[in-house]
Amino acid sequence: MKDGSFFGTLPIQATVVAGKVDLLYEFLVWLSVFFTVLVVGGMLYFAWVYRRRPGHKSTAIHGNTLIEIIWTVVPTFIVIVIFVWGWVVYKEQVTPPYNAYEIKVLGKQWSWQFIYNNGTVMTGQAYIPVNKPVKLIMTSEDVLHSFFVPNFRVKQDVVPGMYTSVWFEATIEGEHQVYCAEYCGGLHSGMLAKLIALNDENWDKFLRGKEIKLAEGNTPTTDQLASSAAKPEAVPLIERGRHLSEVKACTSCHSVDGSFKAAPSFKGLFGKSVELSSGKNVVVDDNYLRESIEKPAEKIVKGFSPVMPTYRGQLSEIEMASLIAYIRSLQ
Ligand code: CUA
């Protein structure tokens, strides 16, 4: 086990990025210790050496260019190092690999729900693969929450009405605690969940809806076992989205084969850069689709009229995720 200890103050490092975050953190702590000792030590030393004594008279000092250059250049160099180092680690932390396995996360007062592409929904705990990148696409049903996994050194606000995301690649099998790190009402402190990192064999079983045997010490309760296998009635998100696009009449205006109708075709839409009537360009991603479903008049694609009614409040978060998954599948 890789211990992120730092005198027992840090949780285990369960991702590669965690080690890099800790190294930067430790550098900042030691740098602060060094300058605190230097400044406070110097202050005490000079206060003693130049204390008022009979027979000693102070002399006026009118500046020292060399010292002033040194105390400007050295700190400038140090803050540039901190900035570049921080930027490199941050960039790695926020840029998911293209092959990351995606799981939708729904935060609500006061629980975490995890929705898999095969339609399985897990609450309060979720299975993730070990040594494979995972990307969470998160939203909230009510107020601001914050998804925090100390072992992974990831924390991200979860905001109603939009999607935010985090990614990680767990390197240690077993349980990793999730907290809510944004005060969200009475039971905020009880808004917990567990991520259980599975080895390849178990992960594969889970995806195929089979029962999983966990290692000693990670024995799931009967409840957990019951929710671990994909339910037979669980409908894959894409299927659900396809069905919804028909019953909600999306497809009366949006074709799915690229043919021309009253609104842009869903085919090949996701990931495309489209020109808006405002002249601006926008890349079609989860957030743009969500906005266009809830507030259709906001960003109209050039050449189309704002005729779509709002679907705000008419879709549950899972339905929204399903529709987006369906549109995304029509590449
Ligand atoms: Cu959710 Cu605090």
Side-chain angles (χ1 to χ4, degrees), residues 105-120:
V105 175
L106 182 56
K108 49 182 159 182
Q109 288 169 322
W110 288 276
S111 66
W112 295 106
Q113 227 176 43
F114 301 83
I115 302 149
Y116 294 81
N117 290 329
N118 64 9
T120 304

Side-chain angles (χ1 to χ4, degrees), residues 107-112 142-146 179-185 187-189 191:
K108 49 182 159 182
Q109 288 169 322
W110 288 276
S111 66
W112 295 106
D142 35 52
V143 298
L144 268 184
H145 303 277
S146 179
Y179 295 93
C180 177
E182 183 80 55
Y183 183 68
C184 57
L187 293 178
H188 155 72
S189 63
M191 190 168 164

Side-chain angles (χ1 to χ4, degrees), residues 14-290:
T15 58
V16 174
V17 178
K20 298 179 184 180
V21 172
D22 290 2
L23 202 62
L24 177 58
Y25 170 77
E26 284 166 32
F27 170 75
L28 292 175
V29 172
W30 288 122
L31 189 73
S32 310
V33 168
F34 173 77
F35 278 103
T36 305
V37 170
L38 189 76
V39 171
V40 175
M43 202 173 74
L44 294 173
Y45 172 76
F46 290 125
W48 172 253
V49 169
Y50 298 106
R51 69 191 184 280
R52 196 167 123 171
R53 285 170 290 175
H56 289 263
K57 205 168 175 346
S58 61
T59 46
I61 297 168
H62 298 287
N64 183 321
T65 312
L66 181 65
I67 288 179
E68 283 174 22
I69 287 174
I70 291 173
W71 79 40
T72 307
V73 171
V74 172
T76 304
F77 177 73
I78 292 172
V79 294
I80 289 173
V81 167
I82 294 172
F83 167 73
V84 173
W85 190 350
W87 181 72
V88 168
V89 175
Y90 176 75
K91 196 165 160 262
E92 184 173 342
Q93 216 180 14
V94 298
T95 318
Y98 72 95
N99 61 342
Y101 182 85
E102 285 184 11
I103 303 172
K104 311 281 186 300
V105 175
L106 182 56
K108 49 182 159 182
Q109 288 169 322
W110 288 276
S111 66
W112 295 106
Q113 227 176 43
F114 301 83
I115 302 149
Y116 294 81
N117 290 329
N118 64 9
T120 304
V121 177
M122 294 181 79
T123 303
Q125 66 153 7
Y127 290 130
I128 55 167
V130 77
N131 296 325
K132 285 192 178 76
V134 172
K135 181 184 175 186
L136 304 181
I137 298 171
M138 312 186 292
T139 191
S140 163
E141 209 167 69
D142 35 52
V143 298
L144 268 184
H145 303 277
S146 179
F147 189 86
F148 180 32
V149 192
N151 289 0
F152 297 168
R153 311 292 189 274
V154 295
K155 178 154 62 173
Q156 173 63 51
D157 276 7
V158 177
V159 187
M162 65 177 280
Y163 293 112
T164 54
S165 69
V166 284
W167 84 274
F168 47 77
E169 184 173 332
T171 51
I172 298 176
E173 255 186 88
E175 290 185 5
H176 302 288
Q177 183 67 50
V178 178
Y179 295 93
C180 177
E182 183 80 55
Y183 183 68
C184 57
L187 293 178
H188 155 72
S189 63
M191 190 168 164
L192 306 169
K194 282 201 165 87
L195 294 179
I196 302 168
L198 302 176
N199 60 27
D200 288 354
E201 195 196 331
N202 275 335
W203 175 245
D204 197 52
K205 274 188 186 164
F206 169 63
L207 289 185
R208 286 185 291 122
K210 298 261 164 53
E211 197 177 296
I212 297 165
K213 280 217 170 53
L214 293 174
E216 201 64 28
N218 269 327
T219 324
T221 63
T222 342
D223 272 6
Q224 290 169 337
L225 269 183
S227 66
S228 76
K231 307 266 192 309
E233 70 270 23
V235 183
L237 294 191
I238 292 175
E239 281 307 312
R240 195 163 173 176
R242 189 200 316 272
H243 177 69
L244 268 172
S245 73
E246 283 159 19
V247 298
K248 296 281 180 187
C250 312
T251 45
S252 6
C253 294
H254 297 272
S255 81
V256 294
D257 57 3
S259 61
F260 189 84
K261 283 190 178 177
S265 176
F266 283 159
K267 189 171 171 65
L269 187 60
F270 196 91
K272 201 164 85 173
S273 174
V274 292
E275 194 183 348
L276 303 177
S277 51
S278 64
K280 284 189 186 147
N281 278 282
V282 66
V283 174
V284 178
D285 59 6
D286 300 74
N287 271 319
Y288 175 70
L289 288 178
R290 184 192 183 103

